[in-house]
Amino acid sequence: MKLDIKIPIGLLFTIFGLILSVYGLATGSDAEIYAKSLGYNINLYIGLFMFVFGVFMLILSRKTLKEIK
Amino acid sequence: MPNLLTLGWIDYVIIMIYFMFVIGIGWALKRYMSSSKAFLEAGRSLPAWVTGLAFISANLGALEVIGMSASGAQYGMATTHFYWIGAIPAMIFLGLFMMPFYYGSKARSVPEYLKLRFDEKTRGLNAIAFALMTVLASGISMYALAALMEKLLQWPFDVSVLVSAGIVLAYTYLGGLSSAIYNEVLQFFIIVIGLFPLVFLSLKDAGGWAGMSDTLSEVAVGKGFQPGAWTTMWSHSGSATSNPMGVEWFGILMGLGFVLSFGYWCTNFLVVQRAMAANSMNAARKTPLIGALPKIFIPFLVIVPGMAAMALASKGTLSLELMPNGSPNYNSVITSMLSHYYPSGILGLGLTALLASFMSGMAGNVSAFNTVWTYDIYQSYIKPRQNDNHYLKVGQIATIFGVVLSIGAAYLAKQFGNIMDFLQMIFSMVNAPLFAVLFLGMFWKRATGNAAFWGLLVGIGCALLHHGLTIPAGADPSAIIKGGWISVAHTYPSSMAQNFWTAIIAWTSATIFTVGLTFLTKQLKSNEDLKGLVYSLTPRLIDKDDKWYNRPVVLAVIVGIITLILSIIFW
């Protein structure tokens, strides 16, 4: 097995998740921005979900690595 | 200018990070590119879930995302026919019955299978037709993307074309098919997460499924259809005039469900190549089946937002962009919705999803093009018997060459506005006869090479003839591309109906001719030659060694049952 695709997926989702949830937290008080998304702080929710998914992928890739060893 | 978007810094950051990752994957895979097999076939080393997701992602191009959301608005739930009847059965058939021959024959491409099974000229014909088709397809999707970005963000057309082509070139040149496939998997996840909030927000805004259905029945009645015409699939398919798609159940079943879908999924090397890169026969057979699982649910991601947009537009919540002639521009549905619902931040992600869908489609075309060019055209006709390093170089150069040709095709598409119809037409003319010939080749050992070659040509010829004699309602025969350039013998209710029937006629004539000519020509291949290429001469695959849940058949049954249940729910 060469490059494990779970690593780039996990990394990208973790980074996107962090960026979006931090941005969501920082802008969360601004109701005007989120009027577009029907009042949901969509950045925070999607950011958190992406972060969790990203970390999950990274954990899976660690597991695959151990199995190979 | 309506629906103009302004991006915040955060959106640019997200898009830039994505670009870096995409190229980074190519960079990380570069050191494994030591042979033409590694570069053009991904070393046949990938697990089934990777090739399966790539299989579906390569098909989930920008044209699909834009086109299916447009059709969702225009035709409603009936658009799902392109998935549940127009893709899933063919994908199951490919995995269970055709993959054993594609993968087991050790052919490196679909044209090469044709050479092994039939003869050199059949391969040549298919290789050239396929190379032209892929370049056109990737050029047209590049044009669609650049035109969208120009309208939406005022990015200059040339810049969009060159930057997006440059990035696709960088990662396919560096890491070949592996890089294309790995990126397709990444792109799959990005497309899903980037579009999902749109589904949620638009449905919520339209009053949930029930609220949307109510509004859509008013829309349907307003356009002279039964109330359920926008929210059901089969209920109103009794005649072509009772549904907005303008096609009746027979056309759907035979044209879309059989000829067009089997013609696309079972013969198009763009998708079949993903399955051929799998690490075992079992994985190769499971590739289209694993791809089918997400494919079943993609309508909810792309068609439902289109339907919601139609409902919201009729309530006046959302304004659809109008074309110069005053009718709504359905192709801008997805971007109108992005600009309506996405605040900065998630907007960057949504645009990244669009860019990702574009890249997965284009990289798919480019990586299929360079393989067919290198193995089926260059190695066969231009310079055979060179060492492998030579073909690796040729493959890499073909990648550049393919991207440059695609850029040319993008500008050609810019010249002729309705080139998308042209692509659909070419697809139904080339793929349908090819499916006829491949099917006969795989399941009838008597079928001969000469018959296959002429069957293919006659199929394409009859499709052309049909196109020249018919026209969709309201089209101008002098526009040639719509049909009727010989004379108008029949008028179809929609261009979709015309397209379905072109494919049906192409397939039928190719089948009749191949069968007929087979009886008049001699089989030049011995049974020994055809071992592993034809059903009756290939030892049955036994997957007893695998646990029951690892068997392709089990997966196929699960996919079939889910599709059936959903079809009944949305009947």
Side-chain angles (χ1 to χ4, degrees):
Chain A
M1 180 110 122
K2 27 191 183 183
L3 175 71
D4 185 356
I5 179 65
K6 294 196 258 344
I7 297 172
I9 294 176
L11 276 177
L12 185 67
F13 270 67
T14 310
I15 294 174
F16 275 4
L18 279 175
I19 293 178
L20 282 177
S21 33
V22 169
Y23 186 77
L25 281 178
T27 54
S29 54
D30 191 340
E32 205 179 311
I33 296 181
Y34 294 104
K36 267 189 161 184
S37 52
L38 310 177
Y40 294 101
N41 188 337
I42 198 88
N43 286 330
L44 179 62
Y45 297 144
I46 294 295
L48 285 177
F49 176 79
M50 288 185 88
F51 180 74
V52 170
F53 183 82
V55 170
F56 175 70
M57 275 284 168
L58 288 176
I59 293 171
L60 274 186
S61 75
R62 298 283 301 193
K63 237 177 139 181
T64 325
L65 205 66
K66 271 188 198 145
E67 272 166 24
I68 291 169
K69 277 177 185 166
Chain B
M1 234 8 250
N3 303 323
L4 193 65
L5 273 182
T6 33
L7 295 188
W9 59 269
I10 182 117
D11 303 312
Y12 283 110
V13 168
I14 288 176
I15 295 173
M16 284 303 154
I17 292 177
Y18 171 71
F19 285 168
M20 276 159 48
F21 258 82
V22 169
I23 295 174
I25 288 179
W27 195 257
L29 289 168
K30 184 173 174 273
R31 57 198 164 110
Y32 303 104
M33 298 299 126
S34 54
S35 67
S36 72
K37 184 173 172 158
F39 188 74
L40 298 170
E41 300 178 78
R44 292 206 168 194
S45 60
L46 303 173
W49 75 271
V50 170
T51 52
L53 289 180
F55 185 92
I56 213 59
S57 187
N59 169 255
L60 190 57
L63 288 183
E64 165 121 350
V65 173
I66 298 166
M68 287 298 155
S69 54
S71 299
Q74 211 172 350
Y75 310 127
M77 203 61 196
T79 312
T80 311
H81 285 311
F82 281 93
Y83 294 79
W84 297 343
I85 192 77
I88 306 296
M91 291 167 84
I92 292 177
F93 187 79
L94 172 67
L96 291 186
F97 300 106
M98 290 178 85
M99 259 348 271
F101 307 111
Y102 279 139
Y103 194 84
S105 68
K106 300 273 179 280
R108 297 165 298 182
S109 66
V110 172
E112 191 162 71
Y113 173 84
L114 286 170
K115 154 157 168 88
L116 295 172
R117 172 60 186 86
F118 293 117
D119 54 17
E120 194 60 63
K121 60 181 180 297
T122 312
R123 164 210 258 184
L125 177 64
N126 177 240
I128 291 165
F130 180 77
L132 284 174
M133 242 166 44
T134 42
V135 165
L136 260 181
S138 76
I140 289 171
S141 82
M142 195 175 346
Y143 157 75
L145 178 97
L148 208 69
M149 292 302 162
E150 190 179 33
K151 221 164 54 185
L152 200 66
L153 301 165
Q154 295 191 311
W155 291 353
F157 187 87
D158 302 334
V159 172
S160 295
V161 165
L162 292 178
V163 170
S164 54
I167 291 170
V168 171
L169 174 61
Y171 75 78
T172 44
Y173 181 83
L174 286 169
L177 180 62
S178 318
S179 177
I181 288 181
Y182 274 28
N183 270 307
E184 278 153 10
V185 176
L186 178 73
Q187 282 147 357
F188 171 79
F189 286 108
I190 290 288
I191 296 168
V192 172
I193 192 72
L195 294 182
F196 175 74
L198 198 60
V199 182
F200 173 77
L201 292 172
S202 61
L203 257 186
K204 174 102 189 160
D205 207 15
W209 185 267
M212 181 182 81
S213 302
D214 288 346
T215 319
L216 284 178
S217 25
E218 287 163 27
V219 171
V221 172
K223 292 190 189 254
F225 294 105
Q226 294 292 312
W230 251 263
T231 44
T232 57
M233 296 180 64
W234 293 103
S235 308
H236 301 283
S237 61
S239 90
T241 47
S242 59
N243 65 77
M245 215 148 99
V247 189
E248 78 299 329
W249 64 272
F250 182 79
I252 295 171
L253 218 55
M254 185 68 189
L256 180 59
F258 181 58
V259 181
L260 275 179
S261 92
F262 282 68
Y264 177 82
W265 294 100
C266 302
T267 73
N268 197 321
F269 183 53
L270 163 68
V271 288
V272 173
Q273 184 181 32
R274 270 77 202 141
M276 286 166 119
N279 59 13
S280 67
M281 174 66 91
N282 182 279
R285 295 181 70 202
K286 271 166 41 187
T287 297
L289 302 168
I290 289 175
L293 280 173
K295 184 80 179 169
I296 298 175
F297 296 99
I298 288 176
F300 297 107
L301 202 66
V302 292
I303 296 174
V304 169
M307 293 166 66
M310 189 67 168
L312 291 163
S314 97
K315 284 204 303 186
T317 318
L318 181 83
S319 59
L320 285 182
E321 207 180 281
L322 298 180
M323 290 199 292
N325 66 8
S327 59
N329 181 3
Y330 293 111
N331 281 330
S332 71
V333 161
I334 203 94
T335 48
S336 298
M337 305 259 283
L338 283 183
S339 68
H340 188 81
Y341 289 112
Y342 278 18
S344 251
I346 197 86
L347 182 60
L349 189 68
L351 280 177
T352 304
L354 270 187
L355 290 168
S357 75
F358 158 77
M359 286 184 180
S360 64
M362 181 171 173
N365 279 309
V366 170
S367 57
F369 171 85
N370 63 14
T371 306
V372 167
W373 167 261
T374 307
Y375 289 149
D376 295 303
I377 299 176
Y378 187 84
Q379 192 178 34
S380 308
Y381 304 112
I382 300 175
K383 252 190 167 178
R385 290 180 296 278
Q386 301 289 312
N387 63 26
D388 186 68
N389 212 25
H390 180 77
Y391 294 119
L392 170 62
K393 283 264 152 41
V394 171
Q396 288 169 327
I397 293 167
T399 310
I400 303 177
F401 186 56
V403 170
V404 170
L405 283 177
S406 307
I407 294 176
Y411 281 95
L412 199 72
K414 201 186 175 197
Q415 295 288 310
F416 304 96
N418 52 6
I419 199 160
M420 257 182 241
D421 296 337
F422 181 66
L423 184 69
Q424 277 299 325
M425 185 186 93
I426 301 279
F427 264 34
S428 55
M429 286 179 184
V430 173
N431 286 342
L434 181 59
F435 174 65
V437 164
L438 275 168
F439 180 83
L440 289 170
M442 282 181 180
F443 298 98
W444 189 37
K445 66 174 185 177
R446 178 74 177 79
T448 67
N450 284 322
F453 177 78
W454 289 106
L456 266 184
L457 268 187
V458 168
I460 296 171
C462 288
L464 269 173
L465 199 66
H466 174 261
H467 185 259
L469 288 171
T470 60
I471 200 158
D476 175 13
S478 64
I480 296 179
I481 234 166
K482 295 269 181 195
W485 38 270
I486 302 174
S487 84
V488 179
H490 182 74
T491 305
Y492 285 106
S494 65
S495 59
M496 202 182 281
Q498 182 196 29
N499 202 27
F500 287 5
W501 282 100
T502 304
I504 293 174
I505 283 172
W507 176 80
T508 314
S509 53
T511 302
I512 293 172
F513 257 81
T514 310
V515 171
L517 284 176
T518 288
F519 288 116
L520 302 175
T521 49
K522 241 181 95 178
Q523 176 59 284
L524 302 171
K525 302 251 176 188
S526 67
N527 281 359
E528 199 45 44
D529 292 338
L530 296 178
K531 207 172 159 211
L533 301 170
V534 180
Y535 186 75
S536 60
L537 298 173
T538 306
R540 289 296 88 80
L541 282 171
I542 299 166
D543 23 45
K544 272 201 192 106
D545 303 341
D546 286 314
K547 296 194 182 68
W548 66 270
Y549 53 81
N550 274 334
R551 289 181 201 160
V553 179
V554 177
L555 196 55
V557 170
I558 295 173
V559 168
I561 290 176
I562 300 176
T563 311
L564 196 65
I565 293 176
L566 285 170
S567 298
I568 293 170
I569 294 177
F570 294 97
W571 190 269

